[in-house]
Amino acid sequence: MHKGRSGHGVLKGIAIFLAIVIMLGIIGGAVWIGLESNWYRDWSKFTGRGPNAEEEFAPPKDVTDGEGNELTSGSVYHLPSSMVFARESAQSETANAGIMVAVQITPETATDKRISWSLTWEANAFGTGSWLSGLPEESKPMSNYLSIEPNENDSTRAQVKCLAPFGNKLIIKAQSVSNPDVFDECTVNYAQRLENFSVSFDGFSGAGVNVALSSDAEAVGGIPKLELQKSSVYTLADEYNVNYSLSGRDSEGNLYVTCKKENETTHSGLVFAETKKPENAGSSFTFEECTQEDTVPQDTNSIIKTKGLYFSLPWLMENMGLHYYFVQDHVTLPAVSSVDDRTHLNGVSVSDLTERFNENYNGAGMTRPQPLLRLTVTVSGTYSQKVMEYTYFMIGYAEVKPQGVQIVMPSDKVIIF
């Protein structure tokens, strides 16, 4: 009996020890995960997506069934219980010829497999306040909005096309000719679409707006305000998400360099990249041999959404990696250490900086706006998506241009500062 109690005590002690070890392991794991996830705010290391990854949107689908599966021309689909058109068939790249739907007749031995196809408006479509009730009589026929063309050789199949947006649901009915009590129905919706949008930063928006480069970090700009213009005729509303992406390169991948070639050997300017000397460089090299590594962070979407976007030197330096660089060709290595020296900006006035980095060419002192930063805004819903690009330009002193020399103004969707 005593021996048994002693063994029981040992087992109890082991169990307590193991429980403590497990508890410490759980606590340690929680702390480690907290540290790795910035205290449970950034799960990128566990999801495989970088912490700066932009939001990814699935491309919109022009026609879907009720489950969201895409329907395209060239295939045959069993008549679904519901369909959604997101645009007129004639405007669709994937469903231009319409959608072929079919019903299955059972049993296979049935002697009469003929099917009649018809359209009706949903119940109460003409009720007070409905979309249809506000239309003139000539706009109310269903044939203005949806067409059904039965297959000439097989009436179990029919081609469905959307001809125009509609604001009340339509019902497709496939009915047995010999037994009218047997039928299938499909409810057809028209999805809301995003027609346009605009972005402003604390009231600052539009094209061709002059904004002075400022030494005040938050002088001009702010948290983005998105205004959406949505279609007014639809039966199915949509929800939209937005992604902001900033780049120091143009749409073809060329780096924006607000560079002035002051003479044959000197280059200086603003750039969203780090200018580095060539690998294995000797005691001399040229500017063209230098490499430019992007410094714009990848998480510009979250930065803009949480911090906003400000058009000032300090803010662009701190949040977007804006650099001032100065490179001399054929220089010794110690002199090249100033290539990526942000402290240069502290000793340069905004006006001097603006004037200094206007492009100089043909010896005429001709100036023009210099592209500096590109903002891509993507607004996406289930059924529509729009992308706009805004190019921000640095512009110099127009009043000092030589007589008769025109400043080349940028095109639409740009903001000048």
Side-chain angles (χ1 to χ4, degrees), residues 155-315:
S155 65
T156 63
R157 297 184 178 190
Q159 195 86 344
V160 181
K161 289 184 179 181
C162 177
L163 306 179
F166 48 91
N168 281 101
K169 298 176 183 179
L170 283 159
I171 309 298
I172 297 175
K173 189 173 186 178
Q175 190 173 28
S176 170
V177 172
S178 59
N179 188 357
D181 292 333
V182 177
F183 60 87
D184 277 343
E185 288 186 342
C186 172
T187 301
V188 185
N189 281 284
Y190 192 87
Q192 184 182 47
R193 292 190 58 78
L194 177 65
E195 296 182 339
N196 208 342
F197 69 84
S198 62
V199 179
S200 62
F201 299 92
D202 194 23
F204 172 63
S205 63
V209 180
N210 289 281
V211 180
L213 277 172
S214 174
S215 57
D216 182 353
E218 297 186 357
V220 179
I223 298 295
K225 179 182 179 181
L226 186 69
E227 293 187 359
L228 305 181
Q229 298 177 23
K230 308 173 187 178
S231 61
S232 58
V233 178
Y234 60 89
T235 63
L236 185 63
D238 201 0
E239 295 183 355
Y240 302 94
N241 295 302
V242 60
N243 185 85
Y244 301 95
S245 176
L246 278 172
S247 176
R249 295 179 180 270
D250 63 22
S251 57
E252 296 180 355
N254 301 310
L255 188 70
Y256 293 137
V257 182
T258 57
C259 171
K260 179 179 180 182
K261 191 169 185 178
E262 297 169 344
N263 52 49
E264 291 301 318
T265 61
T266 303
H267 299 257
S268 62
L270 291 176
V271 64
F272 287 94
E274 185 176 354
T275 306
K276 293 186 175 182
K277 64 183 181 67
E279 293 185 8
N280 304 320
S283 59
S284 65
F285 53 88
T286 65
F287 171 75
E288 285 73 18
E289 293 174 321
C290 293
T291 58
Q292 304 279 0
E293 296 184 5
D294 290 15
T295 54
V296 175
Q298 293 179 351
D299 65 339
T300 54
N301 182 49
S302 61
I303 289 176
I304 292 176
K305 285 182 176 179
T306 57
K307 294 184 178 182
L309 175 60
Y310 292 88
F311 306 95
S312 66
L313 293 176
W315 197 91

Side-chain angles (χ1 to χ4, degrees), residues 38 67 86 89 100 126 145 168 199 221 233 256 277 295 324 358 370 384 392 404 406:
N38 190 21
E67 303 299 321
S89 298
M100 180 68 75
F126 293 92
Y145 309 100
N168 281 101
V199 179
V233 178
Y256 293 137
K277 64 183 181 67
T295 54
Y324 165 70
N358 276 294
Q370 296 295 294
S384 59
Y392 300 90
Q406 297 294 319

